[in-house]
């Protein structure tokens, strides 16, 4: 298999650690990152020497979300060549987002997420499909979909209300509310919050403890918890991404994205976040 370019993957003592490794790009999701994360999740899930998985990131950000700049560039090229933007968006989304979200939904082994800093968009919605989330005190959680004329994804239209209740979930999904780490714990989105000084040590210690437990018992108990809604989540994933492809091709979205990109470009060192 080809080497990873957006991730670092290692296995030790039954724990597979998957780490976003593009801190200079704020670990934004480009095409390769979608595909590589999907591959890493599935490969680690199938390995006999892996009993649990840990997803985390290098740098100050967990992830700035989907790379909007590359999205706009590709969309512009499709339109210039006379292509059907909605069909192109649907095909691209199915090859990237759909498969990645399905990998999260159907993981057999427990997944821990260690959120080391700000997280946006797709990185927030998919982590909600994990089994345990820990956060650094510097972590924040934001899904600014409405400002971009888009829609909920990553099964967040179902999972967010399950976790946080309908009102707070709608503040995040409809109003773009940002949760800090303390609020995320209060609303049961994360299990615990650690100071930046001990964050990585504490998360690794807990993930290794999980990986030390009897593997069949872990998988069977996770199956009991997850099987209740696996089919529903796959259906929701398809519905959300069908609408997302339509939204990407909508003039309302194009206008919102351009406005957002200009506002980000006006900020020194700013990057578009989704």
């Amino acid at each position: 298999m080809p080497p990873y370019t957006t991730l670092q993957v290692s296995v030790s003592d039954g724990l597979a650690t998957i780490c976003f490794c593009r801190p200079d790009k704020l670990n934004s999701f480009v095409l390769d990152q979608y595909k590589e994360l999907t591959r890493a999740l599935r490969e680690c899930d199938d390995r006999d020497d892996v009993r649990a998985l840990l997803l985390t990131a290098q740098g100050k950000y967990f992830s700035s979300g989907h790379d909007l700049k590359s999205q706009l560039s590709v969309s512009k090229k499709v339109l210039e060549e006379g292509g059907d933007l909605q069909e192109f968006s649907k095909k691209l989304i199915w090859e990237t987002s759909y498969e990645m979200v399905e990998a999260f939904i159907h993981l057999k082994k427990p997944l821990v997420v260690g959120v080391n800093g700000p997280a946006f968009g797709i990185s927030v919605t998919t982590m909600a499909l994990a089994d345990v989330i820990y956060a650094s005190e510097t972590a924040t959680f934001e899904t600014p979909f409405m400002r971009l004329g888009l829609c909920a994804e990553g099964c967040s239209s179902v999972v967010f209300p399950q976790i946080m209740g309908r009102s707070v979930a709608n503040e995040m999904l409809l109003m773009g509310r940002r949760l800090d780490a303390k609020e995320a714990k209060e609303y049961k989105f994360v299990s615990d919050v650690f100071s930046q000084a001990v964050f990585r040590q504490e998360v690794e210690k807990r993930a290794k403890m999980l990986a030390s437990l009897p593997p069949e018992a872990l998988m069977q108990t996770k199956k009991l918890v997850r099987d209740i809604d696996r089919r529903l989540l796959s259906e929701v994933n398809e519905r959300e991404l069908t609408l997302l492809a339509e939204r990407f091709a909508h003039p309302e979205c194009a206008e919102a994205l351009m406005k957002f990109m200009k506002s980000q470009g006006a900020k020194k060192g700013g990057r578009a976040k989704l």
Side-chain angles (χ1 to χ4, degrees):
M1 295 295 289
Y4 294 103
T5 60
T6 67
L7 311 172
Q8 289 181 352
V9 181
S10 61
V11 177
S12 176
D13 298 325
L15 178 66
T17 301
I18 302 170
C19 185
F20 299 146
C21 64
R22 299 170 64 246
D24 58 320
K25 303 296 184 183
L26 307 184
N27 298 314
S28 62
F29 274 72
V30 291
L31 178 61
D32 285 346
Q33 186 152 321
Y34 283 100
K35 293 183 176 181
E36 290 186 358
L37 182 53
T38 303
R39 174 184 145 203
L41 290 170
R42 288 174 172 165
E43 286 182 354
C44 291
D45 206 34
D46 289 339
R47 285 181 59 158
D48 293 336
D49 60 341
V50 171
R51 295 188 291 276
L53 292 79
L54 169 63
L55 177 63
T56 189
Q58 295 178 359
K60 294 182 178 180
Y61 273 62
F62 180 74
S63 173
S64 61
H66 182 66
D67 191 314
L68 290 173
K69 187 175 181 180
S70 63
Q71 174 74 37
L72 285 173
S73 177
V74 170
S75 298
K76 182 180 179 181
K77 184 177 179 181
V78 171
L79 291 173
E80 288 175 347
E81 294 175 352
D84 186 321
L85 185 56
Q86 183 171 325
E87 283 302 311
F88 175 83
S89 297
K90 183 176 182 179
K91 181 176 183 295
L92 186 64
I93 286 170
W94 245 246
E95 291 175 353
T96 54
S97 297
Y98 177 80
E99 289 297 330
M100 186 182 73
V101 174
E102 288 295 299
F104 275 94
I105 292 170
H106 294 286
L107 271 180
K108 301 183 292 293
K109 296 169 183 173
L111 171 65
V112 175
V113 179
V115 188
N116 55 298
F120 291 81
I122 188 73
S123 71
V124 179
T125 58
T126 50
M127 75 171 69
L129 295 167
D131 301 292
V132 181
I133 306 173
Y134 297 118
S136 161
E137 62 189 355
T138 63
T140 58
F141 306 84
E142 188 172 357
T143 53
F145 301 135
M146 296 304 102
R147 293 206 304 271
L148 304 169
L150 297 172
C151 68
E153 34 81 309
C155 298
S156 57
S157 62
V158 167
V159 176
F160 276 22
Q162 287 178 342
I163 295 172
M164 298 177 280
R166 186 179 301 274
S167 185
V168 175
N170 281 334
E171 278 195 308
M172 288 193 72
L173 294 173
L174 299 179
M175 302 169 68
R177 176 179 175 179
R178 175 187 299 177
L179 299 184
D180 61 27
K182 182 179 178 181
E183 290 170 325
K185 183 178 180 181
E186 178 184 351
Y187 296 125
K188 306 185 189 311
F189 191 77
V190 306
S191 297
D192 212 343
V193 178
F194 304 107
S195 70
Q196 189 72 358
V198 302
F199 167 74
R200 294 192 186 278
Q201 176 185 345
E202 291 295 330
V203 171
E204 185 174 327
K205 179 172 72 175
R206 284 160 173 74
K208 283 186 174 180
M209 184 278 292
L210 179 65
S212 73
L213 299 172
E216 284 196 26
L218 286 173
M219 288 192 292
Q220 288 171 350
T221 301
K222 172 166 180 169
K223 190 173 187 295
L224 287 172
V225 174
R226 179 60 89 197
D227 273 3
I228 295 172
D229 58 8
R230 260 191 236 270
R231 181 178 297 180
L232 170 63
L233 292 175
S234 285
E235 291 173 356
V236 170
N237 185 30
E238 183 172 350
R239 288 202 303 268
E240 287 178 347
L241 294 183
T242 296
L243 178 58
L244 185 62
E246 295 174 6
R247 295 303 308 164
F248 267 126
H250 197 284
E252 185 178 74
C253 174
E255 183 179 348
L257 285 174
M258 290 303 297
K259 182 178 179 181
F260 184 74
M261 289 293 292
K262 287 179 180 178
S263 70
Q264 291 293 301
K267 300 175 184 178
K268 186 178 180 180
R271 295 189 62 83
K273 309 172 185 72
L274 173 53

